[in-house]
Amino acid sequence: MLHRFYLYTAFAVAAVSAATAQSPASAEQTLTLEQCREMALQNNKQMAIRSEKVRQAGYQRKEAFAAYLPSIDFSGGYAYNQKNISLFDSDQFLPIKSFDMKTMSYQYNLVTNPETGAPVKGPDGQYIPSEVAYLPKEALTFDIHNVFFGAVTLTQPIFMGGKIVAMNKLTHFAEELAEAMKDNEAQNIIYAVDAAYWQVVSLEAKEKLAVSYVNLLDSLDNNVALMLEQGVATRSDKLSVDVKLNQANVDLVKVKNGVALCKMALAQLCGLPIDGNYNVADDLSHVNVDSEVATEYNMQDVYSRREDVKALELGVKMADQAKHVAMASMMPNVVLLGSYGFSNPNSFNGYKSKFNGAFSVGVGVTIPIWHWGGNYNKYRASKSAETIMKLELADAKEKIDLQVSQAAFKAQEAIKTYEMTRSNLAKADENLRTARLGFKEGVMTTDDVMEAQTAWLKANSENVDASIDVHLCDVYLSKVLGTL
């Protein structure tokens, strides 16, 4: 049990510097184990993080569900253009045709030679029209200096290769995983609080034991002093008792310091000020050793209660859905599209400098054809991830089997050890009583009495350790069984 004491001492020693020797005295606060558990769960930062992760997973689940529904977006903009658009570089003169009854077709109206009636060609070698349609450049010049445009678009997924369904299942499992990890963290916190709580109980019991041991040695020291005055004891006897008494006082100071440090560690776990004045409500007056520890357990029930196993099982399910998401990258995607686009200027009814728009509806299809095996390798990687998660789950179950067996064995041994220390304690009490009586009768020396006192101290200390070990082994067994 000493290693537990050193562990909590090291954990709390960093907090000692924060507590001043002149801290104002405050009213004592008695804490029960249940109160410590509740305060630790409420104030622990890791629990707050886990709670926030549960909320985060809930938001992600709602985000994935939104992919089922149509999305509506608006986009718009403004552009300034330096130049206008003109279809012609200059005014245009277009030749005109007239219907010829003789040929029953349209013929160009051309300038003819009055004498010969033949069409006349110009200097460029082209026939000269007698009539033209005049198209000024200005008429086909469009003002695009300031252009405003926008569109409202609706997109409704129809078939996405199963990706949306898989993502919804994946985020649902992720939310359950966050809950499981939160519960698992709560169990770890409770276990840490229980260990710290019973460590305080243990050291307080050892403090009382150390006080009793000091009182025994002090009484012996007084008796030896009287015997030295009467000449029936030697100076060496007195010095031997003095050394033992001084060592016992040093040990008492160490135990008191250990109690203070462990209370600080418990306060830190509970989220309380470390310089407060706290007492624990329990003591070692009762140790539950009536019920026997089972040697066999239904491991399927244990698996169903263990949050870490549940987390791994959810991990397997999430890996399976991730595999479906990867598969969807090789499937065609079909979406329904609808939009209303508008601009200023617009060309819907002539070119006009005002807002006008129109609706459009369509279907979009994307079919992956060739990606050099990228999507397929992504799918195979997701299958490997699922296999890894299944192996980790199987490995965890094997370790839990061993963990449960070891915890049950330790609990059984703790009870046996406790019963043995109870027997040794009764013998040590009788040995001390006999030694003190023999010392009064003069048939035993001070060394005999001190040896009996040391044996008494050792027996009581081992009994304290065994009592705490029963509590801690019971808590640990509950933890590994998932019933904490």
Side-chain angles (χ1 to χ4, degrees):
M1 291 297 294
L2 287 176
H3 68 282
R4 292 196 182 96
F5 166 67
Y6 292 134
L7 174 63
Y8 284 98
T9 299
F11 177 77
V13 72
V16 177
S17 58
T20 59
Q22 289 79 23
S23 297
S26 58
E28 287 188 359
Q29 183 179 0
T30 301
L31 303 175
T32 65
L33 179 59
E34 190 62 30
Q35 287 175 330
C36 292
R37 288 178 172 183
E38 291 176 358
M39 287 187 293
L41 293 175
Q42 291 174 0
N43 300 322
N44 187 270
K45 298 299 185 295
Q46 288 299 318
M47 280 299 295
I49 292 173
R50 294 296 179 184
S51 297
E52 197 61 35
K53 286 187 176 181
V54 171
R55 282 190 287 271
Q56 179 188 32
Y59 298 144
Q60 291 173 339
R61 175 180 54 79
K62 293 178 181 178
E63 175 191 0
F65 179 78
Y68 283 119
L69 307 176
S71 60
I72 301 175
D73 301 290
F74 169 79
S75 59
Y78 163 80
Y80 172 78
N81 300 294
Q82 180 186 7
K83 297 180 180 180
N84 290 330
I85 293 178
S86 179
L87 298 184
F88 302 136
D89 60 350
S90 61
D91 294 342
Q92 300 295 311
F93 300 91
L94 303 180
I96 297 176
K97 286 184 176 183
S98 298
F99 190 76
D100 188 350
M101 293 298 294
K102 294 179 180 180
T103 62
M104 299 300 292
S105 62
Y106 286 95
Q107 300 293 328
Y108 283 106
N109 297 328
L110 302 176
V111 176
T112 59
N113 190 322
E115 297 178 356
T116 62
V120 177
K121 291 184 178 181
D124 57 356
Q126 301 294 326
Y127 293 106
I128 301 173
S130 61
E131 294 179 357
V132 294
Y134 172 60
L135 293 179
K137 175 185 177 182
E138 183 180 352
L140 294 176
T141 298
F142 307 108
D143 181 8
I144 60 167
H145 282 306
N146 298 288
V147 178
F148 301 88
F149 54 89
V152 178
T153 306
L154 180 145
T155 305
Q156 172 62 59
I158 298 176
F159 177 73
M160 303 300 289
K163 178 168 63 178
I164 296 178
V165 175
M167 287 299 298
N168 273 269
K169 290 181 179 179
L170 194 151
T171 53
H172 177 73
F173 293 144
E175 186 175 18
E176 291 186 6
L177 174 61
E179 290 280 3
M181 295 305 294
K182 178 183 176 182
D183 293 340
N184 188 63
E185 184 65 27
Q187 288 188 3
N188 292 335
I189 291 171
I190 290 174
Y191 179 69
V193 168
D194 282 22
Y197 183 89
W198 290 113
Q199 192 63 39
V200 173
V201 174
S202 171
L203 288 176
E204 284 187 341
K206 288 192 175 183
E207 181 183 2
K208 295 177 181 178
L209 181 61
V211 171
S212 300
Y213 183 58
V214 168
N215 291 336
L216 286 175
L217 287 172
D218 187 62
S219 176
L220 178 62
D221 186 63
N222 291 332
N223 291 334
V224 172
L226 293 174
M227 294 172 65
L228 181 62
E229 293 177 358
Q230 297 174 2
V232 293
T234 64
R235 182 66 178 172
S236 177
D237 293 334
K238 182 67 167 62
L239 291 175
S240 297
V241 177
D242 289 341
V243 170
K244 277 285 186 179
L245 180 59
N246 290 336
Q247 185 60 46
N249 281 313
V250 171
D251 292 339
L252 176 60
V253 172
K254 290 181 179 180
V255 172
K256 288 183 177 180
N257 291 338
V259 171
L261 291 173
C262 286
K263 284 184 177 180
M264 290 181 187
L266 179 62
Q268 192 275 334
L269 287 172
C270 297
L272 298 172
I274 61 174
D275 56 351
N277 192 0
Y278 310 109
N279 284 322
V280 293
D282 292 283
D283 54 30
L284 296 179
S285 59
H286 175 69
V287 180
N288 183 20
V289 294
D290 298 332
S291 58
E292 295 184 359
V293 179
T295 57
E296 294 183 1
Y297 297 91
N298 187 332
M299 295 309 300
Q300 294 303 320
D301 292 340
V302 174
Y303 299 150
S304 64
R305 293 192 298 263
R306 288 284 295 255
E307 296 297 335
D308 49 352
V309 174
K310 182 179 179 181
L312 287 171
E313 290 174 343
L314 289 169
V316 172
K317 294 179 180 179
M318 292 173 66
D320 178 62
Q321 295 305 316
K323 181 181 65 177
H324 286 82
V325 173
M327 172 67 78
S329 64
M330 296 184 288
M331 304 289 286
N333 295 339
V334 182
V335 296
L336 174 66
L337 300 173
S339 67
Y340 176 80
F342 58 90
S343 65
N344 179 10
N346 71 88
S347 303
F348 290 107
N349 190 19
Y351 193 82
K352 297 180 180 179
S353 295
K354 66 177 183 180
F355 283 102
N356 200 354
F359 288 100
S360 62
V361 178
V363 176
V365 179
T366 302
I367 301 176
I369 297 177
W370 185 253
H371 293 270
W372 301 100
N375 292 338
Y376 181 58
N377 286 319
K378 178 181 178 181
Y379 171 73
R380 291 198 296 182
S382 63
K383 286 186 66 177
S384 295
E386 182 184 18
T387 302
I388 291 171
M389 289 301 303
K390 289 180 178 178
L391 291 173
E392 289 182 352
L393 175 61
D395 182 60
K397 288 183 177 180
E398 290 179 0
K399 291 180 178 178
I400 289 173
D401 292 345
L402 176 62
Q403 193 179 43
V404 170
S405 298
Q406 290 179 335
F409 178 79
K410 289 180 179 179
Q412 294 169 351
E413 291 301 307
I415 293 176
K416 293 179 182 178
T417 303
Y418 172 75
E419 292 173 346
M420 292 174 63
T421 57
R422 292 292 298 174
S423 176
N424 292 340
L425 185 60
K427 295 176 182 178
D429 288 340
E430 179 62 20
N431 183 44
L432 178 60
R433 187 190 69 81
T434 303
R436 295 178 68 180
L437 182 61
F439 181 74
K440 289 182 180 180
E441 298 295 333
V443 296
M444 286 191 174
T445 65
T446 55
D447 291 337
D448 295 330
V449 177
M450 289 188 294
E451 182 178 351
Q453 290 175 339
T454 302
W456 174 86
L457 176 65
K458 180 181 179 182
N460 277 274
S461 179
E462 289 176 346
N463 180 252
V464 170
D465 291 340
S467 301
I468 294 299
D469 211 28
V470 169
H471 285 290
L472 295 180
C473 287
D474 181 64
V475 172
Y476 181 69
L477 180 60
S478 299
K479 182 177 184 294
V480 299
L481 292 176
T483 59
L484 184 60

